[in-house]
Each structure stands twice: as structure tokens, then as C-alpha cells.
Amino acid sequence: GAVVSQHPSRVICKSGTSVKIECRSLDFQATTMFWYRQFPKKSLMLMATSNEGSKATYEQGVEKDKFLINHASLTLSTLTVTSAHPEDSSFYICSASVVGHNEKLFFGSGTQLSVL
Amino acid sequence: AQSVTQPDIHITVSEGASLELRCNYSYGATPYLFWYVQSPGQGLQLLLKYFSGDTLVQGIKGFEAEFKRSQSSFNLRKPSVHWSDAAEYFCAVVAGMNYGGATNKLIFGTGTLLAVQP
């Protein structure tokens, strides 16, 4: 099946620094990538939808200047957490849709972000 | 608005026993429903999905789920649980499936944590 690679799997950073998370579709072209955030013992909450070549669409309550999303190609989307703070610590997961087959969604393995 | 409810936060079953995880959805039209499994610190793995057709859907790892429109439910079942099935399970519904565009956002339930006793 299709593979979505998310990197890094775990990152620890100091408060005030920025962290970039990459999401790559390895063997297919992804029209759309989605970024989710999961709090401990909570469900996944959609943060934003990113379409290749256009601006991301953010869900209500998600700060677009805080969570920068870039989807420069059909195989790569990045999420940058800018000026990270401890409250940004969370598990972030991306998913990708296959071009022409939007019913197929593939998830990355997630990134555990810890901000000290 | 679409929503998904998983009434059971935590379930413990004995190895070899049968399993049923509940999922109820709220959606005006025919829903597209999914079950995912998440092991600790890992991403999500799709177990099965329902789009249309046969209401009993077979998935991987011996799981199945039945779509019941009258009950707005999509419960996940497995006849005999293995210790390796211990994980968190998420039911999800697609909000606004669009084959031509890109609006297939997933709305997740809060998850059910499954523990398996020896």
C-alpha cells in the first residue's frame, strides 16, 4: 500500500525555537495533505488542510502564523511550529490523499514534539 | 455538523474473547466511515472503511464492522482477540467527501483504549 513518511518521529526543542516537520508521500502523488494534532488521551484534531501549490486552510482556533504549512509539491508538505512553547508539545500526524482517489487517506507515523 | 461518538473510553477483554467497540455518528447523508488503530507513540493504521454497498465490512487483522443506518452506528468487532490487539481504536467519519476536490477531512471520535488480559 501507499506509504507516508513523517520526519522526525520525535523532537525536543527549547522554548522560542522553531521546529519543522516533514510529511512525504513516498510512492504516490498527494493532492491534499492534512495535519492533525493529538493531545494525550485525546482524539485527533484537524489543524489544517494543505493543497499543493496553494495556501493551507486552517481550522477554527488554529493560529496560521504559529503553525506554518507549506505544500510545495505533490509529495511533500511541511508543518513549522514557530516560536514553540511548552503548550505546543503534542503528537502531530499528517495524512495524504491520493490524486484521483480522495477516499484513500494514508497516515504518517507521527511526530512527538516536546518543548522545554 | 458531523460528529463521532465512541461511548467506551477504556475496555478490557481476555485474550481469545470476542470484542465489540462502539461507534455512533451524526451525519446528514450517507457517511464514509473508518476505523483506525493506533499503537503507543505510533501513527494510525487503517483497519477498514465503509463507503457504500455491503453493510458488513471486512478489514485487516480479522476485524469487521457493520454499518447500521437505523442506529447511526458502525461498531467494530473481532471474534477472538489477540494480545497484540491492545491499542487505541478510533472511529472516524469524513466531513464533506469530494472526489473532484480535496475536502475529505476526517472527524475522529475520542478513541477507545483496548487492554487485553492474558
Side-chain angles (χ1 to χ4, degrees):
Chain A
V3 176
V4 173
S5 173
Q6 188 172 340
H7 179 80
S9 58
R10 183 178 296 273
V11 57
I12 301 172
C13 68
K14 292 182 179 180
S15 185
T17 61
S18 294
V19 175
K20 179 184 285 187
I21 302 170
E22 292 188 347
C23 182
R24 294 180 183 273
S25 55
L26 296 186
D27 51 0
F28 66 98
Q29 292 183 322
T31 315
T32 306
M33 289 188 178
F34 303 88
W35 288 95
Y36 292 84
R37 180 174 179 176
Q38 184 179 34
F39 295 93
K41 301 187 185 300
K42 296 288 187 182
S43 183
L44 292 90
M45 302 299 295
L46 179 66
M47 299 174 65
T49 304
S50 104
N51 297 304
E52 184 266 338
S54 62
K55 289 184 179 180
T57 302
Y58 290 81
E59 296 299 304
Q60 190 174 7
V62 178
E63 299 175 61
K64 61 181 180 181
D65 295 329
K66 173 84 172 162
F67 299 99
L68 301 179
I69 291 173
N70 182 279
H71 193 164
S73 75
L74 284 172
T75 59
L76 174 64
S77 176
T78 60
L79 167 67
T80 301
V81 183
T82 62
S83 186
H85 287 91
E87 58 265 30
D88 299 324
S89 299
S90 192
F91 194 63
Y92 295 87
I93 304 178
C94 70
S95 70
S97 291
V98 178
V99 172
H101 297 278
N102 281 339
E103 76 279 13
K104 297 184 180 180
L105 299 171
F106 301 96
F107 281 84
S109 54
T111 298
Q112 181 64 54
L113 170 64
S114 300
V115 185
L116 304 178
Chain B
Q2 298 90 342
S3 66
V4 176
T5 302
Q6 292 181 248
D8 305 305
I9 297 173
H10 187 273
I11 284 183
T12 301
V13 298
S14 298
E15 190 169 15
S18 64
L19 171 70
E20 182 168 27
L21 302 181
R22 295 184 290 167
C23 172
N24 294 97
Y25 67 89
S26 172
Y27 189 66
T30 299
Y32 297 98
L33 295 157
F34 302 77
W35 273 101
Y36 287 89
V37 60
Q38 184 182 34
S39 297
Q42 300 295 315
L44 298 175
Q45 182 180 23
L46 178 66
L47 287 175
L48 47 79
K49 59 182 182 286
Y50 170 79
F51 292 149
S52 64
D54 194 347
T55 56
L56 184 62
V57 180
Q58 301 298 320
I60 63 171
K61 302 184 178 186
F63 285 93
E64 67 178 25
E66 186 171 11
F67 170 62
K68 293 185 178 180
R69 184 187 299 276
S70 61
Q71 299 177 18
S72 297
S73 69
F74 188 57
N75 294 348
L76 181 71
R77 301 194 294 249
K78 186 169 184 177
S80 177
V81 170
H82 188 262
W83 64 266
S84 60
D85 294 323
E88 185 137 30
Y89 292 80
F90 291 94
C91 181
V93 64
V94 170
M97 177 70 80
N98 183 341
Y99 283 86
T103 60
N104 47 347
K105 303 183 295 189
L106 285 181
I107 307 297
F108 284 88
T110 51
T112 297
L113 183 62
L114 173 66
V116 180
Q117 288 181 334

